[in-house]
Amino acid sequence: VARKVVQQAAGFNALIGLAVALGVLFGSTYILQLMNMPEHLQAMGLTYLQIIALCLLPEAISLCLAASLRAYGYTREAMYVTVIVNLVTLLGNALLLYGWFGLPQMSVAGVAFSTVVGRLVGVVLLLWLIRQRLGLRLHWMDCCRFSSDIIRKIMKIGLPAAGENLSWMLQMMVITSFVALLGDKMLATQSYFFQISLFVMLFGIAIGLGTEIMIGHLVGAGELDQAYHRLLRSLKIGLIVTV
């Protein structure tokens, strides 16, 4: 049953990722207008957004595969893949942004292309790990044979979790659209602030992810009291570390 859940979740995520990618690809101009992008940055923003839309499909699949690995206890493997993806993206950014080794300087298009390549590398690595660690080969025909019962259970748990992240991202988009009205320097400052804030939240997120997996196992084993106390202890540690 667990393997069927992984297969169908990957297939369902792929469909959602494809739909969102097409929406961003064809609606990029409207999105930039909603974000109040300064006029002199519109052309670069449009190029970046249309290229980066291509990575939304592999990103959707990667999120599902990485979550599956973590649920089985292979958290380090998922972390290693993320590190490799970031290194590939960083190296690609440097090569295409600055034109190293005789490569063309592609400006924001190069940054977008290297990001897409990094995500594709991540999908390949995660598929390989799913096969090696879980002994599961993902055949697309099997992934697309959806069971209404399994999809219903996935959505019952997944929709509230997705709603939490959606709420966070939407408020960030609204704030960014306000900041964009102040000019490109303020927009850059807001971007730096967002990256710094991620470091503040990093340890709390890590503790939360680990606690989520542990509590899932404890509830599955019927150890409800132990799961409750585990939650309170992790909450205390997370608050202290974050402060």
Side-chain angles (χ1 to χ4, degrees):
V1 176
R3 292 186 177 186
K4 287 183 179 180
V5 170
V6 174
Q7 288 177 328
Q8 295 191 32
F12 194 66
N13 253 30
L15 289 177
I16 295 176
L18 178 60
V20 174
L22 291 174
V24 172
L25 183 63
F26 293 107
S28 52
T29 301
Y30 181 65
I31 292 173
L32 290 177
Q33 290 174 352
L34 283 177
M35 297 293 294
N36 296 319
M37 178 68 69
E39 288 187 10
H40 65 285
L41 299 178
Q42 286 276 354
M44 288 191 296
L46 186 63
T47 299
Y48 180 82
L49 200 56
Q50 289 179 335
I51 297 174
I52 211 72
L54 301 176
C55 80
L56 294 179
L57 175 57
E59 179 73 3
I61 299 173
S62 296
L63 287 172
C64 179
L65 298 180
S68 300
L69 281 173
R70 286 193 291 266
Y72 273 90
Y74 297 107
T75 54
R76 291 187 179 183
E77 285 80 352
M79 179 191 69
Y80 295 149
V81 171
T82 302
V83 171
I84 292 172
V85 168
N86 287 332
L87 289 175
V88 170
T89 303
L90 182 62
L91 179 61
N93 284 351
L95 290 173
L96 297 177
L97 190 61
Y98 300 111
W100 289 356
F101 305 108
L103 292 173
Q105 289 183 287
M106 298 179 63
S107 186
V108 294
V111 174
F113 273 123
S114 60
T115 303
V116 173
V117 171
R119 296 301 187 273
L120 290 173
V121 169
V123 169
V124 172
L125 291 174
L126 287 169
L127 287 171
W128 180 78
L129 284 170
I130 287 287
R131 180 176 176 180
Q132 293 295 317
R133 296 291 187 267
L134 308 186
L136 178 59
R137 295 187 179 185
L138 294 179
H139 299 290
W140 293 116
M141 290 300 296
D142 294 331
C143 292
C144 294
R145 291 172 182 166
F146 299 124
S147 165
S148 58
D149 183 54
I150 291 178
I151 294 298
R152 192 185 308 112
K153 290 179 180 178
I154 292 175
M155 298 299 288
K156 184 177 180 181
I157 299 173
L159 279 179
E164 178 185 351
N165 290 322
L166 182 63
S167 174
W168 168 257
M169 294 309 299
L170 283 176
Q171 65 94 8
M172 284 302 302
M173 289 179 66
V174 172
I175 292 173
T176 302
S177 69
F178 290 157
V179 175
L181 293 172
L182 303 176
D184 53 352
K185 291 184 179 180
M186 295 299 103
L187 195 60
T189 303
Q190 194 263 354
S191 177
Y192 292 139
F193 163 76
F194 180 67
Q195 298 302 320
I196 294 172
S197 69
L198 288 178
F199 281 99
V200 177
M201 297 183 292
L202 178 64
F203 297 102
I205 293 172
I207 292 171
L209 285 172
T211 303
E212 178 182 330
I213 295 170
M214 293 175 66
I215 288 179
H217 289 183
L218 289 170
V219 171
E223 301 288 345
L224 301 182
D225 288 339
Q226 192 173 347
Y228 175 73
H229 292 297
R230 174 70 267 172
L231 170 63
L232 293 181
R233 184 180 179 189
S234 295
L235 178 61
K236 183 188 299 183
I237 296 172
L239 284 173
I240 293 173
V241 172
T242 301
V243 171

